[in-house]
Amino acid sequence: MVVCKPAISSLSLGRASVHHLPTKLLQAEKHGIEGIELFHEDLEYIAKALPGDLTPENDIEAAHVVRQLCVQHSITIICLQPFWYDEGIRDPTEHFSRIAQLKHRMQLAQILHTDLILIPSTFLSADLLFPDLEARFLDLREAADLGAQQDPIIRFAYEGLCWGTYVDTWDACWEVVKSVDRPNFGICLDTFNIAGRVYADPTDPSGKSPNAERDLKASIERLIRTVDVEKVFLVQVADAEKLSSPIIKGHEYYSPAQPARMSWSRNCRLFYGEEEKRAYLPVKDIAQAIFHGLGFRGWVINELFSRSVWNPDPATPAEHARRAAEAWNRLVKDCNLEIAPKTPLKDALIPAESWEKLVTDCKMEAMPNEIF
């Protein structure tokens, strides 16, 4: 059996502007979720509440707060994401700005006790990017080399978004990883983004691309043959909703400013196997390939982006944590996974008397007494 651990994206429990991180962590713990993929926006909303608003110094202070909160709930921070590096960007000023941001993000990762930062493939307009591949490889090598200078070394998981400008499939993503050729630069395999380009088409009434089943089967076979599992740094599992009408002009999710797959991703992702919510992607086939074809073992991120994360109902984090836990149990059963034993975190905890000051300083909701 394949040994894995359950985790969730912090955004999947509710947007930071609507739901506070302490509440989300509490619900994750209650539902047996042991790790989080931390979205930087959760740090930012804590930093904004500190005197002086959002500054690099407050961002660092917020990272210390988040680390302690996660220890309090025995939740491991798997990675920090997303870092919009926009590899191959033409404007040198913008590139140097990204490098400065990256150095700060690595400092945050060290404080958070994670060695992994996720870089999604860019979806900037092609006219803002160098057309040649080598320029993009050079940018990503620069990031990897900066990460290698850290102690401990920072790793990067590169993810091919299914609406990316140049990298929109796992194949293209893997070619980038091989060409960057750094030990701390690997691939993120996301079931939604894999199926979202090869199998699905939200602009088609069927929700599927031509030859969807055949193309996905061939893609999975290539994945198993070509990807080195040692370079798989992150696995994300998500499904998506089959819409009753295609995302074209006139649809509520249509936006002329962004690709249809991006609109679909932001509004319609689901947790694994939520067929009652019209989930339809062949996630099980992709997951089987990752777990059994490649032999991946480790953290599995339940990742959902959806209109529901904006729901201001205070019950949203609990509801999403419940759904994620149910999806994880389905995945364990369907893919014959073995759950790795929980390893307790060892770190200084926030004493009860200090929490009251933290709540006041960060303007956060008071936590239940049971966490102390």
Side-chain angles (χ1 to χ4, degrees):
M1 296 181 75
V2 177
V3 180
C4 294
K5 287 186 174 184
I8 193 168
S9 164
S10 62
L11 184 144
S12 300
L13 295 166
R15 292 305 297 249
S17 60
V18 185
H19 300 285
H20 294 140
L21 184 62
T23 301
K24 295 193 286 187
L25 294 175
L26 176 63
Q27 293 303 326
E29 181 188 27
K30 281 187 172 181
H31 289 84
I33 298 168
E34 300 175 27
I36 62 162
E37 173 189 77
L38 182 67
F39 260 68
H40 185 243
E41 71 169 42
D42 283 294
L43 281 178
E44 287 184 319
Y45 272 86
I46 293 176
K48 285 177 182 178
L50 294 169
D53 208 297
L54 184 57
T55 63
E57 293 76 18
N58 279 353
D59 212 25
I60 289 169
E61 181 62 28
H64 285 289
V65 170
V66 170
R67 169 60 187 169
Q68 295 299 318
L69 287 170
C70 288
V71 171
Q72 202 84 310
H73 293 287
S74 297
I75 290 177
T76 299
I77 299 172
I78 311 307
C79 79
L80 179 60
Q81 82 126 320
F83 181 69
W84 299 109
Y85 190 44
D86 293 323
E87 64 280 4
I89 194 165
R90 287 177 179 269
D91 187 333
T93 302
E94 287 296 325
H95 173 72
F96 291 134
S97 174
R98 300 295 197 283
I99 291 298
Q101 294 170 33
L102 178 60
K103 290 177 179 177
H104 176 69
R105 201 64 66 89
M106 290 192 292
Q107 186 178 6
L108 297 178
Q110 302 278 16
I111 294 167
L112 294 165
H113 289 214
T114 182
D115 70 341
L116 188 62
I117 293 174
L118 185 140
I119 299 178
S121 62
T122 185
F123 54 91
L124 285 181
S125 174
D127 63 303
L128 299 176
L129 304 169
F130 287 113
D132 58 296
L133 290 171
E134 191 56 34
R136 300 197 290 277
F137 299 156
L138 284 172
D139 282 355
L140 293 167
R141 285 189 199 113
E142 183 178 12
D145 290 344
L146 285 170
Q149 295 170 16
Q150 309 306 307
D151 184 18
I153 290 171
I154 297 293
R155 299 178 301 139
F156 297 94
Y158 186 61
E159 178 180 15
L161 301 180
C162 63
W163 62 91
T165 308
Y166 292 117
V167 176
D168 59 359
T169 65
W170 74 260
D171 307 71
C173 187
W174 180 240
E175 288 303 313
V176 170
V177 170
K178 289 194 299 180
S179 297
V180 170
D181 191 25
R182 294 294 188 271
N184 62 327
F185 192 86
I187 192 171
C188 168
L189 294 177
D190 179 321
T191 63
F192 170 84
N193 281 311
I194 292 172
R197 171 54 69 182
V198 177
Y199 180 90
D201 181 356
T203 67
D204 191 274
S206 71
K208 293 161 62 174
S209 59
N211 306 311
E213 285 80 9
R214 185 192 67 189
D215 290 349
L216 181 74
K217 183 175 183 291
S219 180
I220 287 174
E221 289 172 353
R222 286 197 309 277
L223 179 78
I224 294 171
R225 284 198 313 268
T226 60
V227 171
D228 177 1
V229 71
E230 296 300 320
K231 297 290 282 184
V232 179
F233 288 179
L234 198 64
V235 169
Q236 299 166 333
V237 176
D239 210 315
E241 177 183 351
K242 184 175 183 179
L243 299 174
S244 56
S245 59
I247 300 181
I248 55 177
K249 191 173 182 178
H251 193 281
E252 62 177 318
Y253 303 141
Y254 173 80
S255 170
Q258 63 189 35
R261 282 181 171 90
M262 183 176 177
S263 298
W264 181 50
S265 171
R266 290 187 168 183
N267 287 282
C268 306
R269 289 208 203 188
L270 297 169
F271 290 115
Y272 171 71
E274 292 190 310
E275 294 180 359
E276 73 282 2
K277 297 182 183 293
R278 296 176 60 84
Y280 77 108
L281 299 180
V283 175
K284 180 180 176 180
D285 293 340
I286 299 169
Q288 291 275 24
I290 293 170
F291 297 132
H292 297 289
L294 293 180
F296 175 82
R297 290 164 172 78
W299 291 100
V300 179
I301 314 292
N302 291 278
E303 189 181 62
L304 171 146
F305 305 139
S306 169
R307 57 197 182 274
S308 64
V309 299
W310 292 100
N311 188 342
D313 186 337
T316 296
E319 173 63 12
H320 280 213
R322 178 192 63 79
R323 287 171 55 192
E326 290 178 355
W328 169 249
N329 289 334
R330 274 193 297 271
L331 188 68
V332 167
K333 180 180 178 182
D334 290 352
C335 293
N336 194 31
L337 304 181
E338 180 181 348
I339 303 174
K342 188 168 184 176
T343 304
L345 299 181
K346 295 181 179 180
D347 208 336
L349 299 179
I350 303 174
E353 60 271 17
S354 299
W355 179 255
E356 299 303 326
K357 183 178 185 300
L358 186 61
V359 168
T360 301
D361 288 348
C362 295
K363 302 175 185 176
M364 295 187 292
E365 296 172 341
M367 298 285 281
N369 289 333
E370 64 195 52
I371 71 164
F372 298 119

